[in-house]
Amino acid sequence: MKQENRKTFISVRNLIVDFTHVNEEGLEELKTRAIDDVSFDIEKGSFVSIIGMNGSGKSTLAKCLNGLIMPKSGEVYVDGLSTYDEEHLWDIRSRVGMVFQNPDNQIVSSLVEDDVAFGPENLGVDPVEIRKRVDSALKQVDMYDCRDKGAHMLSGGQKQRIAIAGALAMRPECIIFDEPTAMLDPKGRKQVMNIIKELNQEGITTILITHYMHEAEQAERIIVLKDGKLYSDGKPSELFGNRRLIEGAGLEMPPLIDLRDRSGLPESATTIEDIICLLK
Amino acid sequence: MIRDITLGQYFPGKSPIHRLDARTKIIGTFLFIAEMFVVNNFWGFLIAGTALFTVIGISRVPLKFIFRGLTPVFLIIAFTFVINMLMFDGRVLWHWWIFTITYEGLIRAAFMVIRLVLLIIGSSILTLCTKPIALTDGLEKLLRPFSKIGVPSHEIALMMTIALRFIPTLMDETDKIIKAQQARGADFESGNIFRRAKSLIPILVPLFISSFRIAQELALAMEARCYHGGEGRTRMNEIHFNKEDIVAAVLMTIFLGIIIGSRFIA
């Protein structure tokens, strides 16, 4: 999976997003600067995690990446297309799919297969082709047997898999997962994480926004946000080798690394095998 | 407590009635409703009733389900009967204080009640034998020609789809709010009707707020999936008229002729 010289797929340049509200005199007033001068590139086929405390701007950043939020200044390019360009907006959104936190509030139709078809229907895909895409997307998330069930009959994890299938049916090159496991039970969380990893293996650029360090750890690169600013950007081993960096962002060490530090093992041990080896 | 409510009242089945195109059924139902007002004697009702029960027989929906649809409107039916019975002049059969029952009033009342019952049963067949989603699809297609004069056919259908989708979600939400309020000592079960109605306010206000939040999230999710109105949109399951629909259309036309003809009996 680790290939060098991969093409840049998403590129973010000096992004600034403000949340404003209108005061009593009818003037716009700055409330918070949600994203403050953030720049980074995401390569095609990579698996990137974005972490940070509540209110650090993770979700806002994610919504900028497919043009759901228009920034105040700065640039977002998806495969060379600017999100400012209304003409390419639908093209961008079909290439960059998105899965949200609440499994209930992103399913449009009561019937599983109708919901998965919603995206391609919007794109004006031919009905025969939609059928094919829906079937293959449902098989990819292992929900094909539930295709004619009512969405309200499913568990949270199953609903979230339907939401992933809904994004997949648009045949995206990249999927942004905005805390997809936050409202799930441990079993559902595991299933969804496995699907995310599988999709990345199949070549889909994956951006995972999460609260859980052991999920972030599975990415090949972690971007940390703090108060809307880019706080750290690097490999998980670099980040988790540096306790001060993690605690500075208001985050917690993943359980494994925490164990390592408390057992007094060297910081060079970052994988489960290393730690088991040293503990022996 | 409110989990077991079914969506619409669809009764799953594979009968020829279930298989008909939703448009055929919608048009048929509206035609039937109109025909019930064309009928002017009991012979007409006899014919319509026979036809209706033949359709029910073919649909294999148990009669229990059909009559269940009548229970909520039982009061209206009873009221119609009493009012019609008392309001007609004619041969007096019974008289007490200001109440007079006449022979003509009795006939009239029976006539109105039969009409009402047939209307309700006739329209419940539509919802019993058609999936709610097929119904919205059918409605969208039927209204499409009117979009030229400004009828938002796609939007109406999408609104119905979303409403159907979110009924169970909002039910869950209501349940949660009720439990949360009860845990804080709210009382929804005692007091007179006004007090009980008033105690619903602490349920309705949070429910409204959360439904706005849901709407906002859903809108975002729809936009992320490239929703931009009905223009240029395709459907996975395009609905088609089949042979059965042609048969149904012929039968419906014959039925219309018979009903009009029935006006001239007696």
Side-chain angles (χ1 to χ4, degrees):
Chain A
M1 215 171 63
K2 295 259 185 308
Q3 305 139 336
E4 294 306 314
N5 305 325
R6 281 189 299 202
K7 262 175 64 192
T8 299
F9 184 63
I10 295 177
S11 126
V12 177
R13 289 283 165 270
N14 304 99
L15 193 72
I16 293 178
V17 178
D18 281 346
F19 284 145
T20 54
H21 75 131
V22 179
N23 64 11
E24 287 114 64
E25 286 135 52
L27 297 168
E28 242 180 65
E29 193 170 77
L30 180 70
K31 215 172 154 197
T32 35
R33 176 149 289 188
I35 302 287
D36 193 357
D37 197 17
V38 168
S39 305
F40 58 85
D41 287 334
I42 287 176
E43 282 132 20
K44 212 175 181 115
S46 62
F47 183 177
V48 181
S49 269
I50 301 179
I51 57 177
M53 277 199 301
N54 282 337
S56 59
K58 320 184 281 289
S59 289
T60 311
L61 178 64
K63 281 172 197 146
C64 290
L65 299 183
N66 64 352
L68 284 176
I69 292 179
M70 286 300 151
K72 180 169 179 264
S73 69
E75 228 79 43
V76 176
Y77 294 103
V78 174
D79 211 7
L81 306 171
S82 166
T83 54
Y84 286 121
D85 199 344
E86 291 233 353
E87 229 174 277
H88 297 308
L89 206 51
W90 309 117
D91 195 16
I92 288 172
R93 286 186 190 159
S94 71
R95 285 179 192 209
V96 181
M98 198 156 184
V99 175
F100 295 85
Q101 178 179 19
N102 191 325
D104 256 318
N105 301 351
Q106 52 183 322
I107 290 176
V108 183
S109 185
S110 351
L111 211 66
V112 165
E113 59 176 15
D114 280 354
D115 182 71
V116 177
F118 184 73
E121 282 177 348
N122 288 333
L123 297 172
V125 176
D126 181 70
V128 182
E129 171 69 15
I130 297 182
R131 184 81 253 175
K132 265 193 238 160
R133 286 190 185 193
V134 168
D135 287 349
S136 83
L138 281 170
K139 279 175 190 156
Q140 265 177 297
V141 297
D142 201 17
M143 287 291 286
Y144 187 66
D145 296 334
C146 295
R147 63 188 179 282
D148 50 4
K149 283 208 177 133
H152 64 286
M153 313 279 277
L154 305 176
S155 72
Q158 287 175 317
K159 279 181 201 163
Q160 204 59 307
R161 275 145 71 190
I162 296 305
I164 296 175
L168 279 174
M170 296 197 298
R171 296 273 152 97
E173 288 161 70
C174 170
I175 300 183
I176 303 169
F177 297 90
D178 190 354
E179 300 197 36
T181 60
M183 297 178 81
L184 305 183
D185 56 11
K187 196 177 148 213
R189 209 174 282 164
K190 208 168 168 192
Q191 288 171 339
V192 168
M193 265 320 280
N194 285 339
I195 287 166
I196 293 174
K197 280 189 281 179
E198 265 167 43
L199 293 178
N200 181 246
Q201 302 278 330
E202 284 163 27
I204 292 177
T205 312
T206 308
I207 300 171
L208 174 66
I209 295 166
T210 181
H211 246 93
Y212 300 106
M213 290 305 131
H214 62 271
E215 286 178 6
E217 207 183 20
Q218 297 174 20
E220 57 193 77
R221 175 180 164 200
I222 299 180
I223 291 174
V224 185
L225 290 182
K226 189 190 179 190
D227 301 328
K229 290 194 183 70
L230 194 75
Y231 180 76
S232 144
D233 181 356
K235 285 188 182 143
S237 55
E238 288 165 22
L239 179 69
F240 295 128
N242 191 339
R243 182 171 276 269
R244 213 177 301 151
L245 199 63
I246 289 278
E247 279 166 3
L251 299 169
E252 275 173 11
M253 282 286 190
L256 187 69
I257 308 291
D258 208 39
L259 175 75
R260 174 197 72 189
D261 289 357
R262 280 195 283 158
S263 329
L265 299 176
E267 287 193 344
S268 56
T270 48
T271 64
I272 215 163
E273 288 82 15
D274 288 351
I275 289 173
I276 290 172
C277 205
L278 285 164
L279 281 173
K280 277 180 187 162
Chain B
M1 65 183 270
I2 24 186
R3 287 240 55 164
D4 40 84
I5 251 184
T6 49
L7 277 189
Q9 43 171 351
Y10 178 60
F11 183 84
K14 287 194 159 54
S15 75
I17 308 289
H18 284 76
R19 282 202 307 267
L20 283 180
D21 191 309
R23 286 171 289 179
T24 316
K25 284 184 272 191
I26 294 171
I27 295 173
T29 305
F30 276 98
L31 212 58
F32 183 78
I33 290 171
E35 281 159 1
M36 286 309 97
F37 289 96
V38 170
V39 170
N40 67 347
N41 57 42
F42 285 106
W43 288 109
F45 283 144
L46 189 66
I47 297 164
T50 317
L52 195 60
F53 280 94
T54 314
V55 170
I56 294 172
I58 298 170
S59 76
R60 296 219 196 94
V61 175
L63 283 177
K64 199 174 70 184
F65 279 86
I66 308 273
F67 288 114
R68 194 179 286 173
L70 286 175
T71 39
V73 282
F74 178 75
L75 260 180
I76 298 176
I77 295 174
F79 190 69
T80 312
F81 186 81
V82 172
I83 292 289
N84 275 291
M85 188 171 67
L86 296 176
M87 291 300 168
F88 262 83
D89 294 332
R91 267 194 289 150
V92 177
L93 293 179
W94 184 77
H95 182 82
W96 176 73
W97 190 34
I98 52 166
F99 301 109
T100 314
I101 295 177
T102 63
Y103 175 75
E104 282 76 11
L106 218 52
I107 296 282
R108 178 83 194 159
F111 190 81
M112 292 307 281
V113 166
I114 293 174
R115 174 180 282 170
L116 210 57
V117 168
L118 286 177
L119 278 176
I120 294 162
I121 294 179
S123 43
S124 71
I125 290 176
L126 174 68
T127 48
L128 279 166
C129 300
T130 320
K131 281 187 194 161
I133 297 167
L135 210 56
T136 55
D137 279 355
L139 207 63
E140 177 174 8
K141 272 223 157 170
L142 276 178
L143 290 176
R144 202 172 284 170
F146 299 101
S147 59
K148 286 198 186 76
I149 56 163
V151 178
S153 63
H154 163 72
E155 282 76 5
I156 291 174
L158 186 77
M159 257 156 54
M160 285 173 59
T161 309
I162 291 176
L164 285 170
R165 156 70 188 84
F166 279 90
I167 289 170
T169 308
L170 287 175
M171 292 267 188
D172 283 351
E173 203 73 24
T174 317
D175 230 13
K176 248 191 268 172
I177 295 168
I178 290 178
K179 284 200 183 111
Q181 305 279 27
Q182 275 174 339
R184 286 161 181 77
D187 179 14
F188 300 116
E189 262 114 45
S190 62
N192 60 23
I193 191 153
F194 291 106
R195 178 163 293 192
R196 278 200 213 181
K198 217 175 148 191
S199 71
L200 283 179
I201 294 172
I203 299 175
L204 290 178
V205 172
L207 190 63
F208 256 108
I209 294 171
S210 81
S211 62
F212 278 119
R213 196 201 66 234
I214 291 173
Q216 211 167 12
E217 277 181 33
L218 182 71
L220 210 59
M222 283 169 67
E223 264 195 80
R225 285 163 79 182
C226 296
Y227 179 73
H228 51 282
E231 221 171 289
R233 210 164 178 270
T234 47
R235 302 305 307 265
M236 176 168 69
N237 299 316
E238 282 288 346
I239 42 179
H240 298 291
F241 284 124
N242 295 319
K243 248 185 235 154
E244 287 140 338
D245 294 291
I246 298 169
V247 175
V250 171
L251 289 177
M252 268 151 41
T253 319
I254 296 173
F255 181 64
L256 178 67
I258 294 174
I259 288 294
I260 294 173
S262 80
R263 286 181 70 93
F264 304 105
I265 311 175

